[in-house]
Amino acid sequence: MQSAKVFLGIIFFLYLIIVLITYIKSKRFFTAMILTALQGLCALFAVNFIGGYLAVHIPVNGWTMGLSSVGGISGVIMILLSDIFLS
């Protein structure tokens, strides 16, 4: 179980590095960052809203909001996958 947490932590870190490099290489850094954050937060709340019917729940706290803001929709998918693998 501990090795799974370490592996997912490394994957999250690499994912965040790739996302930040993509932001920097884009010509519109702040626009891309704001749109990705809005998409990620909307996806997080949509998962929680629809998850009431499907028995899927992501706790809304600083970590999940931060990851979904930086990662966007793919960040929310990573949160769901980590919930599946760590449960």
Side-chain angles (χ1 to χ4, degrees), residues 58-81:
I58 299 175
V60 178
N61 55 32
W63 292 105
T64 57
M65 289 182 71
L67 186 60
S68 64
S69 294
V70 172
I73 295 173
S74 57
V76 175
I77 292 171
M78 287 188 76
I79 293 170
L80 286 172
L81 289 176

Side-chain angles (χ1 to χ4, degrees), residues 5-16:
K5 288 182 181 180
V6 171
F7 179 72
L8 283 174
I10 291 170
I11 295 295
F12 283 153
F13 179 73
L14 291 175
Y15 172 74
L16 290 176

